[in-house]
Amino acid sequence: MELIFERSRPGRPGAAVAHNDVQMDVEVDPRYLRSSDADLPCVSEPEVVRHFTNLSKRNFGVDSHFYPLGSCTMKYNPKFTERIASDEHFAAIHPLQPQLPKGPMLVQGCLEVIVNLQEALCEIAGMDAFTTHPMAGAHGELTGIMMIAAYHRHKDRPKKTVIIPDSGHGTNPATAAIAGYDVVTVPSDRDGCMDFEKFKAALSDETAAVMLTCPNTLGVFEPRIREIADLTHEAGGLMYYDGANLNAILGKARPGDLGFDVVHINLHKTFATPHGGGGPGAGPVGVRKHLEPFLPISRIRKRQDGTFALDYDQPLSIGYVSPFYGNFAVLLKAYAYIRLMGREGLTAVAENAVLNAAYLRARLREHYDEACASDTLHEFVLSASRQAGRRVHAIDIAKGLIDHGMHPPTVYFPLNVKEAMMIEPTETETRETLDAFAEAMIALAKLAEEDPETFHDLPRTTPVGRLDEVRAARQMDVCAPSL
Ligand SMILES: *Cc1c(COP(=O)(O)O)cnc(C)c1O
């Protein structure tokens, strides 16, 4: 496809702008004046519209295709929440909205939304307080582990290690390391859970925290979670809940009741908001009472007269983790979603997410190897090991799916499963869509039996075919003629 700069013809106007007959007497410092024209493409308005419309059609998204990306939870985002977030009373507000002398801050409505959301999240996660500042799950993890570090320092008992099972997301060990801890990795047992004996051996009075995803990345609910939490607490450590999989247990179980002290929730996974390509997201962090003093500033407080104000007077706080109030539009969408669904609706989210995943797993289990034998919840992991014997790997199956008009599942994660394909259909898909996906996966398994060689130049239906992914990343050339 031509670049917009290649379509440019000097002097061709893009839009009709009326002649300016207003006398401008604004003084601009010459330092800020251009010395030459901006190098912008000269294209007509319809060309601009067609260019970007055609580009947008090459995008892959939940609005156009099925997107079963395990762990990332790419579920359909109700347009209702988008409508709320684009309401100009919210969308046009400025974070530096001035404050009236002696009056309340002028962003009362936004502050109220945040406080209401925090209360809803406390109820959903079984926590005592929430901060909505962190802008992503990983950012929430860092905020949470920094609070845990501050807590141990405050008790005059700083510790050295964080325990993480080998099925954990890469951000977990990265977070622990950035916060200054040594990471102790515990292998998974045959059921895909943290090996209990090896966990006990790893636990010591130097353990600052145990970071767990529950259900874990294989979709398995950790059966000994209470014992793990009790042992950790006895050893003086804290329990960190990676909430990326919270959609599996919404309304059914609460991390706080399971023994966790800190939790982050990926609002962009569990509570609407499309995401990808790095954003937008929000990773609010909830804590039990004993960690509340360490929450980032500012906290929003409801005053006696019913107005809301920011409170910076938190001597034990870990400080700022983001400017202003966090990623407000994402918070707003999540709040609208929670209010739209209500308690029963959120429970149904978990039930349908689990049902859909169980259905797909049952349809696919004879065609691919399974990562574990135990029951799984909202996602499950298959392995392409059987196909790899015929030189068809998880990446080849993934590329083949694209020709069926579907986004591939997450591949090569979790790291403790060879040739992993991690499938999360989410609750928003119909039986027909799930069947179409199952048929596509079965067709690819058959093709791997019958004609494994064809896989190596898939996909064939996309504007760009099979890329050398390493070279594409290292020597990126977005103007290559094949584009
Ligand atoms: C997505 C994810 C994260 C990181 O969250 P981001 O919002 O992408 O930063 C952490 N843990 C798990 C299990 C995840 O799936």
Tab-separated table of all heavy atoms in Angstrom, residues 426-475:
chain	number	residue	atom	x	y	z
A	426	THR	N	-13.053	-16.295	26.324
A	426	THR	CA	-13.839	-15.285	27.059
A	426	THR	C	-15.338	-15.582	26.994
A	426	THR	O	-15.789	-16.363	26.172
A	426	THR	CB	-13.617	-13.813	26.615
A	426	THR	OG1	-14.398	-13.558	25.451
A	426	THR	CG2	-12.159	-13.505	26.411
A	427	GLU	N	-16.059	-14.878	27.828
A	427	GLU	CA	-17.495	-15.140	27.982
A	427	GLU	C	-18.337	-14.544	26.868
A	427	GLU	O	-19.507	-14.861	26.750
A	427	GLU	CB	-17.971	-14.597	29.338
A	427	GLU	CG	-18.146	-13.085	29.440
A	427	GLU	CD	-16.846	-12.329	29.596
A	427	GLU	OE1	-15.778	-12.968	29.626
A	427	GLU	OE2	-16.913	-11.088	29.678
A	428	THR	N	-17.746	-13.667	26.060
A	428	THR	CA	-18.600	-12.905	25.142
A	428	THR	C	-18.826	-13.603	23.796
A	428	THR	O	-19.473	-13.036	22.928
A	428	THR	CB	-18.015	-11.505	24.903
A	428	THR	OG1	-16.608	-11.594	24.801
A	428	THR	CG2	-18.377	-10.561	26.026
A	429	GLU	N	-18.275	-14.797	23.602
A	429	GLU	CA	-18.409	-15.432	22.290
A	429	GLU	C	-19.584	-16.398	22.229
A	429	GLU	O	-19.930	-17.049	23.207
A	429	GLU	CB	-17.102	-16.169	21.946
A	429	GLU	CG	-15.888	-15.269	21.885
A	429	GLU	CD	-16.017	-14.168	20.831
A	429	GLU	OE1	-16.785	-14.337	19.858
A	429	GLU	OE2	-15.346	-13.129	20.990
A	430	THR	N	-20.172	-16.507	21.040
A	430	THR	CA	-21.313	-17.401	20.867
A	430	THR	C	-20.836	-18.830	20.623
A	430	THR	O	-19.684	-19.071	20.261
A	430	THR	CB	-22.143	-17.002	19.636
A	430	THR	OG1	-21.292	-17.083	18.486
A	430	THR	CG2	-22.685	-15.595	19.770
A	431	ARG	N	-21.753	-19.755	20.787
A	431	ARG	CA	-21.483	-21.160	20.504
A	431	ARG	C	-20.972	-21.322	19.062
A	431	ARG	O	-20.037	-22.079	18.797
A	431	ARG	CB	-22.792	-21.930	20.720
A	431	ARG	CG	-22.852	-23.305	20.157
A	431	ARG	CD	-22.345	-24.307	21.172
A	431	ARG	NE	-22.284	-25.622	20.568
A	431	ARG	CZ	-23.181	-26.589	20.763
A	431	ARG	NH1	-24.190	-26.373	21.571
A	431	ARG	NH2	-23.052	-27.752	20.175
A	432	GLU	N	-21.562	-20.583	18.114
A	432	GLU	CA	-21.172	-20.725	16.701
A	432	GLU	C	-19.723	-20.297	16.499
A	432	GLU	O	-18.978	-20.916	15.754
A	432	GLU	CB	-22.094	-19.891	15.793
A	432	GLU	CG	-23.523	-20.416	15.672
A	432	GLU	CD	-24.367	-20.159	16.918
A	432	GLU	OE1	-24.017	-19.273	17.735
A	432	GLU	OE2	-25.376	-20.862	17.093
A	433	THR	N	-19.327	-19.191	17.167
A	433	THR	CA	-17.941	-18.730	17.024
A	433	THR	C	-16.980	-19.755	17.610
A	433	THR	O	-15.931	-20.050	17.032
A	433	THR	CB	-17.759	-17.367	17.731
A	433	THR	OG1	-18.706	-16.467	17.179
A	433	THR	CG2	-16.370	-16.814	17.530
A	434	LEU	N	-17.349	-20.310	18.776
A	434	LEU	CA	-16.485	-21.318	19.397
A	434	LEU	C	-16.362	-22.533	18.488
A	434	LEU	O	-15.270	-23.086	18.301
A	434	LEU	CB	-17.051	-21.736	20.764
A	434	LEU	CG	-17.209	-20.633	21.809
A	434	LEU	CD1	-17.785	-21.203	23.096
A	434	LEU	CD2	-15.873	-19.949	22.091
A	435	ASP	N	-17.471	-22.940	17.881
A	435	ASP	CA	-17.423	-24.092	16.977
A	435	ASP	C	-16.537	-23.802	15.773
A	435	ASP	O	-15.767	-24.662	15.347
A	435	ASP	CB	-18.843	-24.463	16.524
A	435	ASP	CG	-19.581	-25.253	17.599
A	435	ASP	OD1	-18.906	-25.952	18.389
A	435	ASP	OD2	-20.818	-25.165	17.655
A	436	ALA	N	-16.648	-22.584	15.241
A	436	ALA	CA	-15.830	-22.247	14.071
A	436	ALA	C	-14.348	-22.314	14.436
A	436	ALA	O	-13.511	-22.800	13.656
A	436	ALA	CB	-16.196	-20.853	13.557
A	437	PHE	N	-14.010	-21.860	15.640
A	437	PHE	CA	-12.615	-21.918	16.086
A	437	PHE	C	-12.171	-23.374	16.240
A	437	PHE	O	-11.091	-23.769	15.784
A	437	PHE	CB	-12.452	-21.169	17.412
A	437	PHE	CG	-11.072	-21.271	17.994
A	437	PHE	CD1	-10.008	-20.579	17.424
A	437	PHE	CD2	-10.822	-22.067	19.108
A	437	PHE	CE1	-8.726	-20.675	17.955
A	437	PHE	CE2	-9.550	-22.170	19.636
A	437	PHE	CZ	-8.492	-21.469	19.064
A	438	ALA	N	-13.028	-24.185	16.868
A	438	ALA	CA	-12.683	-25.601	17.053
A	438	ALA	C	-12.471	-26.263	15.690
A	438	ALA	O	-11.483	-26.981	15.492
A	438	ALA	CB	-13.779	-26.309	17.845
A	439	GLU	N	-13.359	-25.983	14.733
A	439	GLU	CA	-13.218	-26.589	13.398
A	439	GLU	C	-11.896	-26.175	12.757
A	439	GLU	O	-11.209	-26.969	12.134
A	439	GLU	CB	-14.378	-26.169	12.474
A	439	GLU	CG	-15.777	-26.626	12.918
A	439	GLU	CD	-15.895	-28.129	13.080
A	439	GLU	OE1	-15.152	-28.869	12.408
A	439	GLU	OE2	-16.722	-28.562	13.919
A	440	ALA	N	-11.541	-24.897	12.917
A	440	ALA	CA	-10.289	-24.413	12.326
A	440	ALA	C	-9.089	-25.115	12.964
A	440	ALA	O	-8.167	-25.552	12.255
A	440	ALA	CB	-10.182	-22.895	12.501
A	441	MET	N	-9.108	-25.255	14.269
A	441	MET	CA	-7.990	-25.921	14.961
A	441	MET	C	-7.899	-27.393	14.550
A	441	MET	O	-6.814	-27.941	14.381
A	441	MET	CB	-8.165	-25.820	16.486
A	441	MET	CG	-7.895	-24.454	17.075
A	441	MET	SD	-6.170	-23.944	16.952
A	441	MET	CE	-5.415	-24.915	18.271
A	442	ILE	N	-9.057	-28.036	14.387
A	442	ILE	CA	-9.066	-29.454	13.993
A	442	ILE	C	-8.556	-29.593	12.559
A	442	ILE	O	-7.751	-30.475	12.242
A	442	ILE	CB	-10.492	-30.044	14.163
A	442	ILE	CG1	-10.854	-30.074	15.657
A	442	ILE	CG2	-10.582	-31.447	13.558
A	442	ILE	CD1	-12.313	-30.345	15.961
A	443	ALA	N	-8.983	-28.671	11.679
A	443	ALA	CA	-8.510	-28.707	10.288
A	443	ALA	C	-6.992	-28.551	10.246
A	443	ALA	O	-6.305	-29.222	9.468
A	443	ALA	CB	-9.198	-27.598	9.483
A	444	LEU	N	-6.455	-27.682	11.108
A	444	LEU	CA	-5.002	-27.472	11.116
A	444	LEU	C	-4.279	-28.712	11.648
A	444	LEU	O	-3.207	-29.081	11.146
A	444	LEU	CB	-4.653	-26.233	11.949
A	444	LEU	CG	-5.081	-24.904	11.303
A	444	LEU	CD1	-5.007	-23.762	12.316
A	444	LEU	CD2	-4.234	-24.581	10.080
A	445	ALA	N	-4.871	-29.392	12.640
A	445	ALA	CA	-4.256	-30.615	13.155
A	445	ALA	C	-4.222	-31.677	12.046
A	445	ALA	O	-3.234	-32.405	11.888
A	445	ALA	CB	-5.028	-31.130	14.367
A	446	LYS	N	-5.289	-31.746	11.253
A	446	LYS	CA	-5.324	-32.717	10.140
A	446	LYS	C	-4.280	-32.357	9.099
A	446	LYS	O	-3.576	-33.227	8.576
A	446	LYS	CB	-6.715	-32.715	9.485
A	446	LYS	CG	-7.798	-33.270	10.392
A	446	LYS	CD	-8.814	-34.117	9.608
A	446	LYS	CE	-9.734	-34.855	10.575
A	446	LYS	NZ	-10.919	-34.059	10.923
A	447	LEU	N	-4.195	-31.058	8.806
A	447	LEU	CA	-3.224	-30.612	7.797
A	447	LEU	C	-1.800	-30.955	8.240
A	447	LEU	O	-0.954	-31.320	7.426
A	447	LEU	CB	-3.381	-29.102	7.587
A	447	LEU	CG	-2.641	-28.488	6.403
A	447	LEU	CD1	-3.150	-29.052	5.083
A	447	LEU	CD2	-2.801	-26.963	6.393
A	448	ALA	N	-1.567	-30.857	9.540
A	448	ALA	CA	-0.231	-31.183	10.065
A	448	ALA	C	0.085	-32.655	9.835
A	448	ALA	O	1.238	-33.035	9.621
A	448	ALA	CB	-0.145	-30.844	11.552
A	449	GLU	N	-0.949	-33.499	9.877
A	449	GLU	CA	-0.767	-34.930	9.594
A	449	GLU	C	-0.472	-35.157	8.108
A	449	GLU	O	0.422	-35.902	7.747
A	449	GLU	CB	-2.073	-35.688	9.914
A	449	GLU	CG	-2.343	-35.864	11.390
A	449	GLU	CD	-1.346	-36.818	12.013
A	449	GLU	OE1	-1.064	-37.864	11.394
A	449	GLU	OE2	-0.835	-36.490	13.103
A	450	GLU	N	-1.285	-34.469	7.293
A	450	GLU	CA	-1.302	-34.829	5.871
A	450	GLU	C	-0.277	-34.079	5.042
A	450	GLU	O	0.283	-34.622	4.104
A	450	GLU	CB	-2.713	-34.575	5.297
A	450	GLU	CG	-3.717	-35.587	5.832
A	450	GLU	CD	-5.159	-35.085	5.734
A	450	GLU	OE1	-5.386	-34.027	5.099
A	450	GLU	OE2	-6.049	-35.744	6.324
A	451	ASP	N	-0.063	-32.814	5.368
A	451	ASP	CA	0.799	-32.005	4.504
A	451	ASP	C	1.572	-30.975	5.331
A	451	ASP	O	1.378	-29.766	5.191
A	451	ASP	CB	-0.101	-31.299	3.458
A	451	ASP	CG	0.717	-30.625	2.387
A	451	ASP	OD1	1.956	-30.807	2.381
A	451	ASP	OD2	0.131	-29.876	1.572
A	452	PRO	N	2.451	-31.457	6.204
A	452	PRO	CA	3.113	-30.539	7.136
A	452	PRO	C	3.920	-29.434	6.444
A	452	PRO	O	4.028	-28.331	6.974
A	452	PRO	CB	4.022	-31.458	7.953
A	452	PRO	CG	4.095	-32.748	7.219
A	452	PRO	CD	2.861	-32.867	6.401
A	453	GLU	N	4.412	-29.711	5.236
A	453	GLU	CA	5.265	-28.719	4.556
A	453	GLU	C	4.533	-27.415	4.272
A	453	GLU	O	5.129	-26.335	4.327
A	453	GLU	CB	5.808	-29.291	3.237
A	453	GLU	CG	6.909	-30.328	3.436
A	453	GLU	CD	8.025	-29.815	4.349
A	453	GLU	OE1	8.510	-28.697	4.118
A	453	GLU	OE2	8.364	-30.535	5.308
A	454	THR	N	3.210	-27.491	3.966
A	454	THR	CA	2.467	-26.275	3.591
A	454	THR	C	2.486	-25.206	4.685
A	454	THR	O	2.282	-24.033	4.398
A	454	THR	CB	0.951	-26.530	3.366
A	454	THR	OG1	0.542	-27.503	4.284
A	454	THR	CG2	0.618	-26.860	1.958
A	455	PHE	N	2.724	-25.640	5.933
A	455	PHE	CA	2.621	-24.688	7.034
A	455	PHE	C	3.650	-23.565	6.970
A	455	PHE	O	3.430	-22.494	7.498
A	455	PHE	CB	2.776	-25.418	8.375
A	455	PHE	CG	1.476	-25.934	8.905
A	455	PHE	CD1	1.037	-27.212	8.598
A	455	PHE	CD2	0.683	-25.135	9.691
A	455	PHE	CE1	-0.167	-27.681	9.079
A	455	PHE	CE2	-0.524	-25.597	10.182
A	455	PHE	CZ	-0.952	-26.878	9.877
A	456	HIS	N	4.769	-23.853	6.311
A	456	HIS	CA	5.885	-22.947	6.526
A	456	HIS	C	5.774	-21.598	5.835
A	456	HIS	O	6.466	-20.669	6.203
A	456	HIS	CB	7.205	-23.664	6.237
A	456	HIS	CG	7.348	-24.850	7.144
A	456	HIS	ND1	7.611	-26.131	6.699
A	456	HIS	CD2	7.157	-24.959	8.479
A	456	HIS	CE1	7.606	-26.962	7.741
A	456	HIS	NE2	7.332	-26.268	8.832
A	457	ASP	N	4.837	-21.473	4.870
A	457	ASP	CA	4.657	-20.122	4.329
A	457	ASP	C	3.266	-19.560	4.634
A	457	ASP	O	2.779	-18.673	3.950
A	457	ASP	CB	4.990	-20.059	2.827
A	457	ASP	CG	4.135	-21.021	2.041
A	457	ASP	OD1	3.803	-22.085	2.588
A	457	ASP	OD2	3.804	-20.694	0.881
A	458	LEU	N	2.636	-20.069	5.675
A	458	LEU	CA	1.367	-19.460	6.114
A	458	LEU	C	1.682	-18.251	6.989
A	458	LEU	O	2.727	-18.241	7.628
A	458	LEU	CB	0.543	-20.481	6.908
A	458	LEU	CG	0.160	-21.775	6.181
A	458	LEU	CD1	-0.744	-22.614	7.060
A	458	LEU	CD2	-0.515	-21.487	4.853
A	459	PRO	N	0.843	-17.212	7.025
A	459	PRO	CA	-0.459	-17.097	6.364
A	459	PRO	C	-0.349	-16.636	4.915
A	459	PRO	O	0.611	-15.965	4.548
A	459	PRO	CB	-1.148	-16.018	7.210
A	459	PRO	CG	-0.036	-15.147	7.679
A	459	PRO	CD	1.143	-16.052	7.854
A	460	ARG	N	-1.377	-16.983	4.127
A	460	ARG	CA	-1.380	-16.600	2.719
A	460	ARG	C	-2.404	-15.522	2.405
A	460	ARG	O	-2.376	-14.947	1.322
A	460	ARG	CB	-1.710	-17.828	1.860
A	460	ARG	CG	-0.679	-18.923	1.977
A	460	ARG	CD	-0.660	-19.789	0.723
A	460	ARG	NE	0.385	-20.790	0.836
A	460	ARG	CZ	0.138	-22.092	0.979
A	460	ARG	NH1	-1.085	-22.542	0.973
A	460	ARG	NH2	1.145	-22.924	1.086
A	461	THR	N	-3.339	-15.281	3.318
A	461	THR	CA	-4.450	-14.371	2.994
A	461	THR	C	-4.224	-12.945	3.485
A	461	THR	O	-5.068	-12.090	3.289
A	461	THR	CB	-5.750	-14.884	3.646
A	461	THR	OG1	-5.502	-14.997	5.054
A	461	THR	CG2	-6.164	-16.229	3.094
A	462	THR	N	-3.104	-12.702	4.133
A	462	THR	CA	-2.899	-11.389	4.752
A	462	THR	C	-2.063	-10.484	3.836
A	462	THR	O	-1.354	-10.990	2.969
A	462	THR	CB	-2.133	-11.570	6.080
A	462	THR	OG1	-1.027	-12.439	5.839
A	462	THR	CG2	-3.000	-12.171	7.144
A	463	PRO	N	-2.159	-9.172	4.007
A	463	PRO	CA	-1.346	-8.259	3.183
A	463	PRO	C	0.141	-8.594	3.283
A	463	PRO	O	0.873	-8.461	2.313
A	463	PRO	CB	-1.629	-6.875	3.778
A	463	PRO	CG	-2.878	-7.012	4.568
A	463	PRO	CD	-2.993	-8.448	4.972
A	464	VAL	N	0.586	-9.006	4.461
A	464	VAL	CA	1.981	-9.393	4.637
A	464	VAL	C	1.989	-10.866	5.013
A	464	VAL	O	1.286	-11.277	5.934
A	464	VAL	CB	2.629	-8.582	5.786
A	464	VAL	CG1	4.090	-8.951	5.942
A	464	VAL	CG2	2.463	-7.099	5.532
A	465	GLY	N	2.790	-11.670	4.300
A	465	GLY	CA	2.820	-13.112	4.563
A	465	GLY	C	3.719	-13.439	5.736
A	465	GLY	O	3.848	-12.659	6.675
A	466	ARG	N	4.352	-14.609	5.710
A	466	ARG	CA	5.192	-15.026	6.835
A	466	ARG	C	6.438	-14.155	6.928
A	466	ARG	O	7.189	-14.011	5.958
A	466	ARG	CB	5.586	-16.492	6.653
A	466	ARG	CG	6.508	-17.055	7.741
A	466	ARG	CD	5.857	-17.161	9.101
A	466	ARG	NE	4.945	-18.262	9.234
A	466	ARG	CZ	5.216	-19.459	9.758
A	466	ARG	NH1	6.386	-19.724	10.236
A	466	ARG	NH2	4.331	-20.390	9.813
A	467	LEU	N	6.618	-13.575	8.055
A	467	LEU	CA	7.780	-12.705	8.263
A	467	LEU	C	8.867	-13.482	8.985
A	467	LEU	O	8.584	-14.388	9.760
A	467	LEU	CB	7.398	-11.513	9.136
A	467	LEU	CG	6.505	-10.458	8.529
A	467	LEU	CD1	6.143	-9.436	9.600
A	467	LEU	CD2	7.202	-9.754	7.379
A	468	ASP	N	10.083	-13.067	8.762
A	468	ASP	CA	11.173	-13.520	9.614
A	468	ASP	C	11.067	-12.631	10.862
A	468	ASP	O	11.463	-11.471	10.851
A	468	ASP	CB	12.500	-13.310	8.886
A	468	ASP	CG	13.687	-13.681	9.755
A	468	ASP	OD1	13.535	-13.700	10.993
A	468	ASP	OD2	14.760	-13.936	9.189
A	469	GLU	N	10.480	-13.173	11.940
A	469	GLU	CA	10.091	-12.305	13.054
A	469	GLU	C	11.279	-11.667	13.750
A	469	GLU	O	11.207	-10.541	14.215
A	469	GLU	CB	9.215	-13.076	14.044
A	469	GLU	CG	7.915	-13.501	13.387
A	469	GLU	CD	6.863	-13.988	14.348
A	469	GLU	OE1	7.127	-14.069	15.551
A	469	GLU	OE2	5.748	-14.276	13.869
A	470	VAL	N	12.376	-12.416	13.816
A	470	VAL	CA	13.547	-11.849	14.484
A	470	VAL	C	14.085	-10.683	13.663
A	470	VAL	O	14.323	-9.586	14.177
A	470	VAL	CB	14.636	-12.928	14.670
A	470	VAL	CG1	15.892	-12.315	15.261
A	470	VAL	CG2	14.107	-14.042	15.552
A	471	ARG	N	14.183	-10.913	12.316
A	471	ARG	CA	14.696	-9.824	11.480
A	471	ARG	C	13.733	-8.643	11.469
A	471	ARG	O	14.146	-7.480	11.475
A	471	ARG	CB	14.932	-10.328	10.051
A	471	ARG	CG	16.392	-10.220	9.657
A	471	ARG	CD	16.584	-10.633	8.221
A	471	ARG	NE	16.317	-9.537	7.312
A	471	ARG	CZ	15.814	-9.701	6.092
A	471	ARG	NH1	15.498	-10.888	5.652
A	471	ARG	NH2	15.630	-8.651	5.316
A	472	ALA	N	12.433	-8.938	11.471
A	472	ALA	CA	11.438	-7.855	11.437
A	472	ALA	C	11.591	-6.962	12.663
A	472	ALA	O	11.397	-5.751	12.599
A	472	ALA	CB	10.036	-8.441	11.377
A	473	ALA	N	11.954	-7.576	13.795
A	473	ALA	CA	12.107	-6.786	15.012
A	473	ALA	C	13.442	-6.048	15.030
A	473	ALA	O	13.519	-4.890	15.440
A	473	ALA	CB	11.985	-7.692	16.235
A	474	ARG	N	14.481	-6.716	14.542
A	474	ARG	CA	15.816	-6.126	14.645
A	474	ARG	C	16.105	-5.116	13.550
A	474	ARG	O	16.842	-4.158	13.747
A	474	ARG	CB	16.881	-7.237	14.578
A	474	ARG	CG	16.745	-8.269	15.678
A	474	ARG	CD	17.836	-8.059	16.736
A	474	ARG	NE	17.465	-8.743	17.968
A	474	ARG	CZ	17.790	-9.996	18.239
A	474	ARG	NH1	18.526	-10.681	17.388
A	474	ARG	NH2	17.414	-10.554	19.357
A	475	GLN	N	15.555	-5.395	12.350
A	475	GLN	CA	15.825	-4.486	11.215
A	475	GLN	C	14.496	-4.035	10.630
A	475	GLN	O	14.161	-4.363	9.496
A	475	GLN	CB	16.638	-5.200	10.132
A	475	GLN	CG	17.973	-5.684	10.602
A	475	GLN	CD	18.607	-6.641	9.590
A	475	GLN	OE1	18.133	-6.810	8.467
A	475	GLN	NE2	19.693	-7.245	9.980
